[in-house]
């Protein structure tokens, strides 16, 4: 409950701003039209910051495709607790909330318009992503997940992926020095591409292999 309260404080506007004031008319109208198709009034989300708005819309679309709201992190956390295994973190929850809060900051119109375009094609994109993930096709995953972000939104790419990967590397490397076996769970976008964790590890001389 404390985390949820903090998320709402950090991810919603607490001043005079709202989506109706930070977005231009054409972008706000496009958002209203999209929300109308979901049966949700735009006023319900008017105080959402762009990061929370887009995250919420993605969840709605994923649920339409049959995905559950529970992420793989929650799934494996439950399994770890049931097995009596210890659980750590690569970054605190406050940092994750901060990243979402900053999404689209300063370029709200472009961020929301691009996200709406991607949501229109989410079913096809998810089929492609799942096929690439299941076959271990990292090049395709990079093309689907990160390459466009790197080219079109370099600031978001740096803060959301590169900076976090660099911060995680010392934590991951420290695990190689202890006798335990750790299971590290990150989003696929953090693994692939030129600045992904796999490339970073390879550049340090580690041998990477997939598990069949």
């Amino acid at each position: 409950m404390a985390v949820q309260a903090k998320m709402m404080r950090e991810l919603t506007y607490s001043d005079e701003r709202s989506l109706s004031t930070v977005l231009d008319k054409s972008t706000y109208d496009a958002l209203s039209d999209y929300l109308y198709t979901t049966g949700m009034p735009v006023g319900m989300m008017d105080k959402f910051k762009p990061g929370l708005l887009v995250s919420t819309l993605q969840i709605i679309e994923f649920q339409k495709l049959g995905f559950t709201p529970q992420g793989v992190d929650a799934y494996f956390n439950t399994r770890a607790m049931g097995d009596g295994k210890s659980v750590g973190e690569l970054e605190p929850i406050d940092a994750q909330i901060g990243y979402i809060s900053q999404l689209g900051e300063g370029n709200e119109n472009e961020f929301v318009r691009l996200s709406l375009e991607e949501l229109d094609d989410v079913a096809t994109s998810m089929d492609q992503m799942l096929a690439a993930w299941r076959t271990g096709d990292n090049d395709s995953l990079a093309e689907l997940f990160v390459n466009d972000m790197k080219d079109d939104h370099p600031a978001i790419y740096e803060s959301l992926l590169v900076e976090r990967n660099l911060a995680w590397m010392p934590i991951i490397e420290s695990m190689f020095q202890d006798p335990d076996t750790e299971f590290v769970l990150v989003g696929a976008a953090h693994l692939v591409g030129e600045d992904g964790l796999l490339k970073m590890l390879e550049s340090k001389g580690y041998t990477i292999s997939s598990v069949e």
Side-chain angles (χ1 to χ4, degrees):
M1 293 298 293
V3 171
Q4 291 178 349
K6 181 175 180 60
M7 287 181 64
M8 293 308 296
R9 287 196 304 271
E10 296 289 334
L11 302 181
T12 58
Y13 292 116
S14 58
D15 51 22
E16 72 283 355
R17 291 178 298 168
S18 66
L19 291 174
S20 59
T21 63
V22 300
L23 299 178
D24 60 33
K25 185 178 186 305
S26 62
T27 304
Y28 191 76
D29 287 347
L31 174 62
S32 299
D33 291 343
Y34 171 82
L35 287 174
Y36 179 79
T37 67
T38 70
M40 300 179 66
V42 67
M44 181 182 297
M45 298 185 182
D46 201 38
K47 296 298 284 186
F48 283 17
K49 290 183 179 180
L52 178 59
L53 168 71
V54 171
S55 297
T56 302
L57 298 184
Q58 289 173 336
I59 291 173
I60 292 172
E61 290 298 333
F62 292 156
Q63 287 180 314
K64 288 180 183 178
L65 296 175
F67 293 92
T68 66
Q70 182 191 42
V72 292
D73 49 350
Y75 170 79
F76 280 106
N77 183 67
T78 300
R79 283 195 58 178
M81 290 191 298
D83 294 339
K85 297 177 179 178
S86 59
V87 178
E89 61 186 16
L90 293 175
E91 63 187 10
I93 186 66
D94 288 354
Q96 296 179 29
I97 294 173
Y99 285 119
I100 298 174
S101 177
Q102 293 168 16
L103 286 174
E105 188 74 28
N107 60 342
E108 290 88 352
N109 289 292
E110 181 183 8
F111 179 71
V112 171
R113 283 198 302 269
L114 177 65
S115 299
L116 291 175
E117 292 172 5
E118 292 176 344
L119 286 170
D120 283 338
D121 198 36
V122 68
T124 301
S125 297
M126 285 305 299
D127 285 343
Q128 294 172 338
M129 291 176 184
L130 286 172
W133 177 78
R134 285 171 175 154
T135 58
D137 187 349
N138 290 342
D139 290 338
S140 292
L141 284 173
E143 186 67 30
L144 292 164
F145 269 115
V146 301
N147 291 352
D148 286 346
M149 186 193 305
K150 181 179 182 180
D151 294 337
D152 300 336
H153 305 282
I156 294 175
Y157 175 80
E158 285 291 325
S159 63
L160 196 62
L161 295 179
V162 180
E163 292 177 6
R164 295 168 76 194
N165 287 350
L166 289 170
W168 296 349
M169 277 294 291
I171 303 173
I172 294 172
E173 284 193 279
S174 69
M175 298 177 186
F176 302 154
Q177 310 305 318
D178 63 47
D180 299 323
T181 299
E182 285 90 359
F183 173 68
V184 179
L185 179 67
V186 300
H190 290 283
L191 291 174
V192 299
E194 295 179 2
D195 301 298
L197 290 170
L198 299 181
K199 287 290 186 183
M200 288 185 178
L201 289 168
E202 285 182 335
S203 70
K204 287 177 170 285
Y206 296 105
T207 299
I208 307 297
S209 61
S210 60
V211 178
E212 301 294 337

